[in-house]
Amino acid sequence: MREYDVIILGGGAAGLMCAAEAGKAGLRVAVLEKADSLGKKILISGGGRCNFTNIYAGPENYLSANPHFAKSALARYSPQDFIDLVESHGIAWHEKTLGQLFCDGSAKQIVQMLVDECPGDLVDLICGFQIEAVSQISPPSTHPPAQSPHTFKVVGRTERAAMDHGQDTASIFIAPNLVIATGGPSIPKMGATGFAYDLARQFELKVVEPRPALVPLTLGGEDILFRELSGVSTNVHARAGKTEFAEAALLTHKGLSGPAILQISSYWKPGQEIGITFLPQREADWLLDLKRDKPRATVRQALRDHLPDRLADALAERLGIERELGNVTDKQLRSAGQRLSDWRFSPTGTEGFAKAEVTIGGISTAELSSQTMESKKVLGLYAIGEAIDVTGWLGGYNFQWAWASGVAAAKAIADRPH
Ligand SMILES: Cc1cc2nc3c(=O)[nH]c(=O)nc-3n(C[C@H](O)[C@H](O)[C@H](O)COP(=O)(O)OP(=O)(O)OC[C@H]3O[C@@H](n4cnc5c(N)ncnc54)[C@H](O)[C@@H]3O)c2cc1C
């Protein structure tokens, strides 16, 4: 039986940050990680360079059933706090675009930094750990009610050791605080599961129906022709309902992807159309102006001047105006311009959790304190990171939430009388 002040389930972004903060506050911490190494999603993030924060991160960049929930934690641990940490480890970084900060070197530096931040004498980072059961030990009935020294019990075994030595490596961990940091089910190939939700339900916490987010959209029906343009990318404005993002869109052999589409996917509901503005820099009547300046030009040529050739050709074909501009009526050109500024697609679905960068939904924020991430029902039980129903935009916002929620939980646990 191994005793700690806090057991953290999951050694990803949020779990490691929480472990580091709790360890620095003098708490004894066990991080129980299922995978054979820590921070796997950090390692693959940002194309291997980890887009570790966004300097503009604020509550308005997050989706949640309660849009106010993220405010407190985000305000108390800012992007600048994480930049200071990164710089204190001598990690070089740069802003790529739109406030997105990346390592100059490798995402490995972020994982190493988080591990180095965990005091070795206080924080045990245990990988390859298969959790078999999590339970709550009844606290002794004392008056006034005191926190039980050993409220939570986690039983499991370390897989690799079991294979190496052929012996029973079952372990029991006990602690008064338990943090759920096992993330969401996006990218199951990497071992991601809905474990956090199962555990939440075990403790009778509500879970907001999870669905894939920051995910490519699939096309069918008439839109299927666009799939022939796989690999073509262009800057667009993409809309779902009232939400709009101005970034690049990429046509794929299944449908639509690229940053603008990934962003919009988090807001898109099945059955809903999305609107794409091709040529967002052009005025509404630009084709009429062009008709006056260059009456011998064609729509195809005009589009080719601003868009990749294959896309220009496909759009011109679908607009059905192949004549010289001088021979096209103003009405037709105006209508073509309008269509180009709000091209409607009817996605058939998304590419699912297999391709989703994050999960929308998760442990209901109504169950948790926004100050501490602690369950309102179960004293000493916390949830942080992607496991919770807080989902950021693309561009470093999700890691910022992982860091901020991890720190909020660690500080709350450290501030408790022990
Ligand atoms: C391809 C890709 C690229 C991304 N790029 C970025 C980016 O550049 N910037 C950004 O902000 N966000 C990015 N994200 C999102 C970001 O990775 C997540 O939002 C973030 O990792 C969430 O942190 P977390 O700690 O909650 O979950 P995770 O980092 O997923 O950590 C959860 C941990 O729990 C472990 N675990 C799961 N089940 C169990 C179990 N039963 N027992 C024990 N351990 C378990 C997992 O192995 C994992 O290590 C990206 C995501 C993907 C998939």
Side-chain angles (χ1 to χ4, degrees):
M1 186 118 84
R2 299 164 71 170
E3 295 177 28
Y4 292 87
D5 296 314
V6 49
I7 300 168
I8 300 174
L9 306 181
L16 287 175
M17 190 63 168
C18 186
E21 282 297 309
K24 283 187 275 181
L27 301 177
R28 292 164 303 148
V29 183
V31 175
L32 304 179
E33 166 59 52
K34 183 182 66 166
D36 54 6
S37 61
L38 299 162
K40 282 195 163 179
K41 273 194 189 165
I42 302 176
L43 293 177
I44 60 157
S45 70
R49 290 229 162 93
C50 187
N51 177 194
F52 54 78
T53 192
N54 191 298
I55 51 174
Y56 303 120
E60 63 283 2
N61 307 117
Y62 295 84
L63 292 89
S64 170
N66 175 2
H68 302 292
F69 182 83
K71 280 184 183 168
S72 170
L74 289 172
R76 285 178 295 136
Y77 191 84
S78 69
Q80 189 57 50
D81 289 326
F82 196 76
I83 295 168
D84 292 345
L85 182 64
V86 164
E87 289 188 339
S88 73
H89 284 255
I91 299 172
W93 56 271
H94 62 278
E95 180 182 345
K96 200 168 169 189
T97 175
L98 303 169
Q100 303 167 5
L101 306 191
F102 288 75
C103 298
D104 287 359
S106 156
K108 282 184 198 155
Q109 294 172 288
I110 298 294
V111 176
Q112 193 56 53
M113 175 190 84
L114 293 168
V115 170
D116 291 346
E117 281 289 301
C118 294
D121 55 333
L122 288 170
V123 181
D124 288 339
L125 300 168
I126 300 159
C127 288
F129 189 83
Q130 196 64 41
I131 298 169
E132 288 170 353
V134 178
S135 56
Q136 200 180 13
I137 308 164
S138 307
S141 50
T142 52
H143 291 283
Q147 187 170 281
S148 158
H150 304 131
T151 307
F152 294 96
K153 178 162 113 176
V154 179
V155 181
R157 58 190 71 233
T158 322
E159 285 180 330
R160 200 189 310 142
M163 281 189 299
D164 289 350
H165 309 296
Q167 54 184 283
D168 185 7
T169 55
S171 311
I172 298 174
F173 293 78
I174 50 173
N177 300 290
L178 181 74
V179 181
I180 304 174
T182 51
S186 43
I187 321 275
K189 215 168 59 186
M190 293 187 61
T193 64
F195 179 78
Y197 313 146
D198 299 340
L199 205 53
R201 289 190 190 103
Q202 179 191 324
F203 286 105
E204 295 180 6
L205 308 187
K206 286 197 194 75
V207 173
V208 175
E209 182 62 24
R211 61 186 169 90
L214 299 182
V215 62
L217 298 173
T218 53
L219 295 178
E222 292 194 356
D223 296 334
I224 212 161
L225 296 167
F226 280 91
R227 294 180 7 187
E228 289 163 15
L229 306 179
S230 177
V232 170
S233 165
T234 187
N235 284 328
V236 299
H237 289 180
R239 276 173 306 286
K242 288 185 181 148
T243 309
E244 178 171 287
F245 287 93
E247 283 190 67
L250 170 72
L251 292 143
T252 72
H253 66 287
K254 289 195 175 159
L256 298 168
S257 187
I261 303 300
L262 298 182
Q263 299 278 35
I264 270 306
S265 73
S266 301
Y267 291 86
W268 176 78
K269 303 267 172 351
Q272 193 182 22
E273 284 188 335
I274 61 164
I276 300 283
T277 305
F278 293 108
L279 305 167
Q281 313 308 338
R282 302 278 105 194
E283 297 292 325
D285 283 347
W286 69 283
L287 283 171
L288 283 108
D289 297 340
L290 196 67
K291 175 179 168 180
R292 270 183 288 281
D293 294 347
K294 293 184 180 171
R296 306 289 307 273
T298 61
V299 170
R300 181 186 295 258
Q301 282 158 353
L303 291 175
R304 275 188 169 218
D305 284 346
H306 305 286
L307 292 169
D309 288 355
R310 284 162 68 205
L311 178 60
D313 293 353
L315 292 173
E317 222 168 274
R318 281 166 187 73
L319 288 170
I321 315 170
E322 297 285 347
R323 300 183 298 283
E324 290 176 353
L325 291 175
N327 296 324
V328 184
T329 65
D330 284 3
K331 192 176 166 207
Q332 276 178 307
L333 289 179
R334 198 166 286 122
S335 133
Q338 276 163 3
R339 198 159 166 217
L340 287 167
S341 66
D342 190 22
W343 201 280
R344 312 301 290 179
F345 288 96
S346 300
T348 50
T350 75
E351 289 195 36
F353 283 116
K355 292 285 160 64
E357 263 192 33
V358 285
T359 308
I360 280 195
I363 300 173
S364 170
T365 54
E367 302 283 3
L368 307 170
S369 153
S370 62
Q371 308 284 316
T372 63
M373 308 295 133
E374 188 177 17
S375 159
K376 291 175 183 169
K377 286 183 196 144
V378 186
L379 187 75
L381 179 67
Y382 297 76
I384 57 175
E386 198 179 322
I388 307 181
D389 173 30
V390 173
T391 309
W393 289 1
L394 184 79
Y397 300 96
N398 284 295
F399 280 136
Q400 187 57 34
W401 171 247
W403 317 137
S405 57
V407 169
K411 289 213 156 106
I413 297 168
D415 287 348
R416 272 250 163 95
H418 291 283

